[in-house]
Amino acid sequence: VSTSLPAGALVDLERPVTISFEGKLIPALAGQSIAAALYAAGVRVFTRSFKYHRPRGLFCVAGECPNCLMQVDGRPNVRTCIEPAREGQVVCHQNAWPSLDWDALHIFDKLDRFLPVGFYYKRFHKPRWLWPVFEHVVRHIAGLGQVDVHHREHAETEIEHLHTDLCVIGGGPAGSAAASTAHRHGARVLLLERQSRLGGHHLYDPSESRADPGTPPSPDIKVLVNTTAFGLYEGNLIGAFTDNRLLKIRAKQIIVCTGSRQQPFLFHNNDLPGIFLGDGVLRLARLHGVPAGRRAVVLTDNDEGQQLAQHLLDLGIEVAAVVDARRDAQPRNPGAPWPTFPSHIVVRALGKTHLKGVCIARRDEKREIDHRAPQTIVCDLLCLAGTRQPANELLLQAGLRFQREAGRWTPDRQIPGLWAAGAAAGTFNRGQQIQEAGLCGAETAAALGHRVPDLEERRRSWRERVTDKGVVAQAGIFAQLDPRDRKRFVCLCEDVTEKDLYQAIAEGFDHIETLKRYTTVNMGPCQGKVCGVAAVAICAHATGRPLNAVGATTSRPPAVPVELAVLAAGQRHQPLRRTPMHHWHEAAGAVWMDADQWKRPESYGDSVVEVGAARSGVGLIDVSTLGKIEVFGPDAAELLERVYLNTWKDLKVGRVRYGAMCNEDGILIDDGVGARLGPDTFYLTATTGNAEAIVQWLELWKATWKLNVTVLSQTTAKAAVNLAGPRSREMLQGLADLDVSATAFPYLAVREGRVAGISCRLLRIGFVGELGYEIHCPSAHGQALWDALLEAGKPFGLRPFGVEAQRILRLEKGHLIIGQDTDALSNPLEAGLEGLVRFDKSEFIGRAPLLRLKAMGPRARLIGFEMADSARVAPEGSQVVDEGHPVGRLTSTRYSPTLARSIGLAWVPVEQAAIGTRFLFRWNGADVPAIVAPLPFYDAPGIRLRS
Amino acid sequence: MSFYLICPHCGPREVYEFRYGGEILDAGVDGQLAKSNQPGWQRERWYHRFGCRRWLFVERNISTHEVRRTGLLEENG
């Protein structure tokens, strides 16, 4: 019989491959889908359903329904009906245990009366402890594939940006015609086709005759096959993917020619393996070369049923009957060897794990089913040839809505730059589809500015023909309320039955959007491609409203499943930033940490020893990641005066000052030091993570206030180190050509000079609380400066220290870190910086909200604390609690080797902020005491800093 | 969001090249900055981060993302 079976349009007969399925080797052909090869090898149950674990087999063979999802080479939820077989692929089932053919969890199909729609909103909530247990169980037994968290993709995903005049989505006859016409008139055209060949339904529908449907329309048209468009976004941006590549396509004009899909019907056990969409059977045979069965029944409500029966016969499949729901259907196709049953529908499918036959029954004039005399027809294949619906999800995403007018779907309006042709636009007459596509091609060419002499002629002739757009019938899903029947499946993805929908509507979820959210119909992998029309029809039937009044659920990208790795393509280009001394740190055995995009040494092995060196001798840290900003011009002081909380106009040339700034809501955003190099020249530092943002912030206010000032980022132009410790002056003396004595170079002064022959800017500041110098030099000399300092420091026991040691040192000194000790609700009045806020300035950013906060008084305070148990260090982020309620948090906690105590910073309510107050925080379920301590913990008078 | 902004320096560019800088607000009598939070036209600041690194003002319809005016922030009003 199979002699008449074609080879399969997508299959390469010359290239056999072997795949492995559940440990067995399965022969396949290159180009053939995995599912087709498995079907040929006798596999009928491809997956188990989401909720009831019912057996499911191939259905759409177009990558739209959830019935063929499997685990392929570790990737879950692969649509095997369209995934080409490749040598060595490892394929296994998902959502079944122990096997697809015998799934123990199939018991849920029998328990369905206890699992009605929305059962998880109703059951197992009392007592409360039951819910987490139950949720854990449900998550294991329901659902799709397992994500293998240890699996690493071998292929990197990548992103490609394409720009074109016209992009045609869909390489079927309409798409090719539209592309050709537009190209002939001069447009630059990109044509996207999801299959490996152009041709669309021509490739499998034998009622179309064309010599070679796969020939590209013109070599100048750029054709991308195996490319699926999943989203239409504003600005005519198309999201598409091919293999592991994400495509972002900008097109001046878009024509959508995505065709149509047949609608399924509702009857008892309508999800049984062996029940296919009519197109699915044709695709399996003519694209992949595999027959779907031996003896078929066709169920239809339109003229396509008889055509389909003939095609099946041509494929060598016996046709047992055509069941036509229409009353006016011809009883018998003249000359056809199969019987036709007009006014009949299928009421139930027979069989346990595969179709064995169907029961059909008559519908009377009132469309009531006559259950008295059902007939049984033996078959192993049931082909559903329901009325075609536009595959219009991309158009819906773009904002078009389809209205049913005189039984026909019609787009409600025209969106500039977006066109639709063929079945996707609701045109089902084959001749008209080509004409419409040609018109769209001509329209887009004209819109792009090309001369189209026959445009008016095309428009006129289309207007004349458009009155009848072809096949249309009622949405013949046979919606009816049968409270006893719980096995009429609307949604294959999430196991939603017709009864579920009626029940949800009875419970009040009678709007299509609430119905969707409550029942999860339309929410599965198919995104409504199988169930969308049925859900609307049932909603209309149950509520007595017309289809247009019910509307449809919102269509959002992605229209087809896209791997997250593909969507994330392009997000991996996070540049890595290294300081000029990076390679020295690496060689010295630095333990790295990430600071924004930078790599910074967390330590060189032992932070405690590093702290000791800085406190007792001299230490050196690379601070090149600091934001470094030059601000110069006549209004430089004015800009800083208005942006910072404190004053700058009174800062003398050659002096340095600490400053902090707020946003317009009075929230702390950054702090740092600023040096006045000249009357109109300042040099600022910003925290590492904020370097870029602060430059933008200064630029913003410069532009807003129209100030005459230049903001110049020097962050990467300069390297910087902090030389800190009681012996740092002594050490620097021999290396610098300037006078570093306490009188010539006091605390909070800035000097320019040469260190080891390198011209440097030196700032005497003390973040770590010791005598110290921050030395800035051109990046190119950073390593030379570092080397020279290390060499000169040898007699003084100089040790490089990392960020961790710096954090301990600064915490001992009580210095806060913006972002660590503050968050998006922290204001300077509560953070201990109230002395910095100069309300006597007439204007600075955040003044108004800070004035209000000042009037209200502080509610919380950032305070220093010591642990009552000085041996233990609490985790940062622990909650401060008062009578069991969270009232604050610990922001920084460390063991201080200098003080031999466990110290930290914390936000506590103002009532508990007085020094000596004992407060509690939650740690491992217990309330642990700590005591508010005066800040700073170390060197309170600041003698060491200023020495 | 996939619309274009026309940068006075760099020409039409994808919005992803820019950083949104918020609505341009006028301080009320008490100095409070009240965000209007209304659909329709809005005056905004945008920073051309991956371009000329200048601050722009933009008049954008936040319902439709239609942009009717762009220019350098310092030349605004």
Side-chain angles (χ1 to χ4, degrees):
Chain A
V1 187
S2 62
T3 46
S4 54
L5 195 68
L10 303 180
V11 170
D12 185 352
L13 285 173
E14 310 291 314
R15 287 172 52 212
V17 296
T18 307
I19 61 174
S20 131
F21 174 65
E22 317 271 55
K24 290 193 290 273
L25 293 180
I26 307 280
L29 294 163
Q32 197 172 37
S33 72
I34 294 171
L38 296 181
Y39 202 91
V43 175
R44 290 295 176 268
V45 178
F46 279 73
T47 184
R48 289 279 171 163
S49 70
F50 184 78
K51 181 174 167 185
Y52 299 124
H53 287 258
R54 289 169 66 85
R56 294 276 164 83
L58 294 187
F59 180 71
C60 72
V61 199
E64 289 175 346
C65 73
N67 281 13
C68 65
L69 299 183
M70 289 189 182
Q71 204 102 8
V72 176
D73 290 339
R75 289 183 300 146
N77 305 325
V78 174
R79 295 168 294 157
T80 55
C81 73
I82 54 166
E83 182 79 11
R86 295 194 177 91
E87 184 63 39
Q89 250 163 352
V90 178
V91 181
C92 5
H93 75 266
Q94 53 188 42
N95 204 34
W97 184 86
S99 77
L100 280 171
D101 288 324
W102 198 87
D103 180 5
L105 299 170
H106 189 42
I107 185 74
F108 289 106
D109 197 28
K110 299 275 186 287
L111 299 176
D112 57 353
R113 71 178 69 245
F114 304 107
L115 304 169
V117 59
F119 70 94
Y120 37 82
Y121 296 127
K122 301 167 182 165
R123 306 232 195 290
F124 312 109
H125 286 275
K126 283 176 187 172
R128 272 176 73 180
W129 59 265
L130 190 59
W131 175 251
V133 179
F134 171 67
E135 189 184 28
H136 182 77
V137 173
V138 166
R139 283 195 191 278
H140 269 88
I141 60 181
L144 302 167
Q146 296 277 329
V147 174
D148 180 0
V149 291
H150 303 295
H151 177 71
R152 288 189 70 88
E153 282 288 334
H154 297 299
E156 284 276 307
T157 56
E158 51 189 22
I159 185 167
E160 188 175 354
H161 295 265
L162 298 171
H163 295 261
T164 183
D165 285 347
L166 167 65
C167 182
V168 179
I169 303 172
S176 295
S180 296
T181 312
H183 170 257
R184 263 204 314 282
H185 290 105
R188 199 161 52 106
V189 183
L190 178 67
L191 177 58
L192 309 183
E193 167 55 44
R194 66 177 181 175
Q195 294 194 120
S196 60
R197 281 177 70 183
L198 289 179
H201 69 263
H202 273 182
L203 293 177
Y204 58 83
D205 186 346
S207 44
E208 304 290 331
S209 54
R210 233 176 95 174
D212 181 3
T215 312
S218 154
D220 292 337
I221 293 174
K222 185 172 179 186
V223 177
L224 295 179
V225 292
N226 293 321
T227 302
T228 311
F230 62 80
L232 260 191
Y233 304 83
E234 66 182 336
N236 270 8
L237 175 70
I238 300 163
F241 66 92
T242 173
D243 287 333
N244 57 350
R245 192 147 35 102
L246 176 69
L247 304 176
K248 284 191 178 177
I249 303 165
R250 285 279 187 181
K252 293 185 184 121
Q253 300 281 323
I254 296 173
I255 306 177
V256 176
C257 304
T258 42
S260 64
R261 53 180 74 95
Q262 290 166 319
Q263 289 308 298
F265 297 101
L266 292 177
F267 46 87
H268 186 78
N269 282 345
N270 61 333
D271 62 333
L272 204 57
I275 299 174
F276 282 72
L277 287 183
D279 280 350
V281 174
L282 296 182
R283 281 189 278 258
L284 190 59
R286 296 197 176 264
L287 296 181
H288 303 290
V290 177
R294 292 197 184 87
R295 186 177 151 89
V297 168
V298 174
L299 175 58
T300 188
D301 61 354
N302 59 73
D303 291 339
E304 282 194 31
Q306 298 291 343
Q307 288 172 27
L308 178 63
Q310 184 61 49
H311 299 331
L312 294 175
L313 206 62
D314 295 343
L315 289 168
I317 298 171
E318 182 191 347
V319 179
V322 173
V323 180
D324 195 325
R326 295 175 300 176
R327 296 190 53 230
D328 50 358
Q330 290 294 316
R332 179 175 282 272
N333 197 3
W338 56 79
T340 299
F341 294 86
S343 292
H344 274 67
I345 59 171
V346 170
V347 291
R348 83 176 29 234
L350 307 171
K352 274 186 93 170
T353 57
H354 195 267
L355 185 72
K356 292 197 166 63
V358 294
C359 274
I360 66 169
R362 197 179 164 74
R363 294 212 299 177
D364 63 19
E365 288 76 10
K366 289 184 231 146
R367 294 191 179 175
E368 296 292 324
I369 298 165
D370 183 358
H371 282 289
R372 284 168 303 179
Q375 296 180 54
T376 301
I377 305 173
V378 174
C379 62
D380 66 348
L381 183 62
L382 175 60
C383 303
L384 309 179
T387 306
R388 289 187 178 278
Q389 304 294 338
N392 57 2
E393 50 276 0
L394 290 175
L395 296 166
L396 295 174
Q397 282 178 18
L400 276 186
R401 294 291 169 266
F402 281 65
Q403 292 288 319
R404 268 180 91 84
E405 282 168 21
R408 165 165 64 234
W409 293 105
T410 316
D412 63 344
R413 63 197 165 105
Q414 182 79 47
I415 294 178
L418 178 66
W419 308 81
T427 307
F428 292 99
N429 176 303
R430 297 277 155 92
Q432 283 181 23
Q433 291 175 344
I434 302 300
Q435 190 190 358
E436 186 179 30
L439 174 64
C440 284
E443 289 278 9
T444 51
L448 288 163
H450 300 290
R451 214 176 69 80
V452 183
D454 62 346
L455 184 59
E456 273 312 316
E457 170 58 31
R458 281 176 184 273
R459 284 177 178 165
R460 190 169 53 249
S461 117
W462 173 249
R463 273 197 302 271
E464 283 161 11
R465 278 190 74 179
V466 77
T467 47
D468 174 23
K469 295 214 290 192
V471 191
V472 169
Q474 76 278 24
I477 62 151
F478 317 140
Q480 62 169 345
L481 177 56
D482 183 351
R484 289 158 304 175
D485 193 346
R486 293 190 299 270
K487 305 295 175 195
R488 289 157 62 91
F489 286 87
V490 176
C491 167
L492 297 174
C493 300
E494 310 257 323
D495 269 355
V496 182
T497 64
E498 186 189 29
K499 183 170 182 285
D500 290 335
L501 292 175
Y502 278 108
Q503 189 184 327
I505 291 166
E507 288 179 27
F509 300 95
D510 59 351
H511 189 282
I512 189 69
E513 294 283 6
T514 55
L515 185 64
K516 165 183 165 180
R517 281 153 183 75
Y518 186 60
T519 63
T520 69
V521 68
N522 289 12
M523 281 167 65
C526 94
Q527 288 287 291
K529 293 185 186 73
V530 177
C531 54
V533 175
V536 171
I538 289 167
C539 191
H541 184 259
T543 58
R545 284 178 292 176
L547 288 173
N548 280 339
V550 170
T553 56
T554 307
S555 203
R556 299 183 182 87
V560 291
V562 191
E563 275 185 48
L564 287 175
V566 170
L567 286 179
Q571 302 300 317
R572 297 181 184 186
H573 293 286
Q574 290 295 336
L576 179 70
R577 303 178 83 180
R578 298 185 177 113
T579 75
M581 294 79 108
H582 181 91
H583 298 292
W584 187 93
H585 302 317
E586 183 122 293
V591 179
W592 293 109
M593 63 174 278
D594 292 329
D596 201 31
Q597 294 169 338
W598 295 96
K599 288 281 174 201
R600 296 196 70 182
E602 187 173 42
S603 78
Y604 300 89
D606 191 338
S607 307
V608 174
V609 174
E610 291 167 20
V611 167
R615 286 279 179 247
S616 62
V618 60
L620 182 68
I621 180 169
D622 179 358
V623 292
S624 301
T625 61
L626 279 178
K628 307 173 211 71
I629 306 161
E630 262 181 41
V631 178
F632 54 94
D635 293 332
E638 181 68 26
L639 176 65
L640 302 190
E641 191 86 358
R642 294 207 214 174
V643 168
Y644 281 88
L645 300 170
N646 47 320
T647 58
W648 292 87
K649 284 181 175 168
D650 59 346
L651 183 67
K652 292 191 174 64
V653 173
R655 300 294 296 177
V656 176
R657 176 169 288 170
Y658 172 75
M661 53 178 96
C662 283
N663 65 13
E664 294 146 294
D665 304 320
I667 302 301
L668 275 171
I669 56 170
D670 202 45
D671 67 349
V673 298
R676 193 164 202 167
L677 306 177
D680 294 336
T681 309
F682 290 83
Y683 184 70
L684 313 175
T685 63
T687 52
T688 296
N690 272 341
E692 172 67 24
I694 295 306
V695 171
Q696 291 175 18
W697 186 245
L698 294 171
E699 289 273 11
L700 169 63
W701 295 106
K702 169 202 149 186
T704 303
W705 294 320
K706 303 180 176 56
L707 296 177
N708 185 1
V709 58
T710 300
V711 178
L712 184 65
S713 170
Q714 299 271 49
T715 299
T716 47
K718 287 190 182 296
V721 299
N722 186 13
L723 183 71
R727 302 191 73 185
S728 56
R729 178 186 291 125
E730 200 182 333
M731 189 199 129
L732 198 58
Q733 232 149 21
L735 207 59
D737 70 350
L738 66 158
D739 183 357
V740 294
S741 65
T743 43
F745 193 176
Y747 181 57
L748 291 181
V750 57
R751 296 287 181 268
E752 308 263 352
R754 286 179 177 275
V755 178
I758 299 161
S759 61
C760 294
R761 179 172 298 150
L762 296 90
L763 287 70
R764 233 201 99 180
I765 51 180
F767 185 51
V768 300
E770 296 292 340
L771 168 69
Y773 302 85
E774 203 171 271
I775 311 174
H776 296 238
C777 75
S779 285
H781 301 307
Q783 185 61 52
L785 177 68
W786 184 265
D787 289 340
L789 289 169
L790 284 177
E791 185 61 33
K794 272 181 186 163
F796 301 91
L798 178 139
R799 275 192 89 101
F801 62 98
V803 176
E804 175 59 20
Q806 181 180 250
R807 291 206 158 191
I808 296 170
L809 291 162
R810 71 90 202 179
L811 185 60
E812 289 173 344
K813 189 60 191 166
H815 286 149
L816 63 86
I817 297 177
I818 305 260
Q820 167 79 27
D821 302 302
T822 71
D823 65 11
L825 292 172
S826 307
N827 70 65
L829 305 180
E830 295 177 338
L833 298 178
E834 57 269 45
L836 213 56
V837 186
R838 296 289 292 269
F839 286 114
D840 52 334
K841 288 197 290 183
S842 63
E843 188 183 0
F844 64 89
I845 297 170
R847 185 172 189 269
L850 287 174
L851 270 177
R852 276 195 303 281
L853 286 167
K854 190 182 178 201
M856 285 160 60
R859 283 165 298 177
R861 285 220 180 265
L862 182 65
I863 50 94
F865 70 86
E866 288 175 12
M867 292 278 289
D869 176 358
S870 69
R872 301 169 76 201
V873 179
E876 288 175 349
S878 299
Q879 281 185 335
V880 175
V881 291
D882 189 11
E883 292 176 356
H885 296 288
V887 292
R889 67 184 197 284
L890 314 186
T891 59
S892 294
T893 58
R894 289 290 186 279
Y895 182 76
S896 161
T898 316
L899 308 165
R901 288 202 297 267
S902 175
I903 57 170
L905 295 175
W907 283 95
V908 296
V910 71
E911 307 81 49
Q912 300 186 30
I915 288 162
T917 312
R918 205 176 124 101
F919 66 90
L920 298 172
F921 65 91
R922 184 69 53 89
W923 187 7
N924 284 340
D927 289 349
V928 180
I931 297 134
V932 179
L935 287 177
F937 300 100
Y938 174 74
D939 185 28
I943 295 162
R944 301 177 72 93
L945 202 65
R946 293 184 172 83
S947 64
Chain B
M1 284 222 312
S2 58
F3 57 92
Y4 277 77
L5 285 178
I6 299 173
C7 172
H9 275 121
C10 315
R13 296 296 187 96
E14 296 239 9
V15 71
Y16 295 109
E17 293 189 8
F18 300 82
R19 178 199 141 185
Y20 181 57
E23 186 181 357
I24 298 176
L25 300 164
D26 299 316
V29 196
D30 55 352
Q32 293 231 41
L33 297 168
K35 286 172 184 156
S36 67
N37 213 14
Q38 294 295 312
W41 291 99
Q42 177 169 289
R43 297 196 314 145
E44 319 177 314
R45 308 176 294 211
W46 289 81
Y47 180 74
H48 197 182
R49 195 170 164 205
F50 301 116
C52 59
R53 307 186 133 224
R54 298 292 294 271
W55 278 96
L56 315 180
F57 78 89
V58 171
E59 277 183 33
R60 179 175 67 113
N61 187 321
I62 58 174
S63 310
T64 63
H65 291 171
E66 187 190 339
V67 176
R68 69 179 174 196
R69 218 159 71 101
T70 53
L72 294 177
L73 184 61
E74 57 259 45
E75 289 163 10
N76 174 32

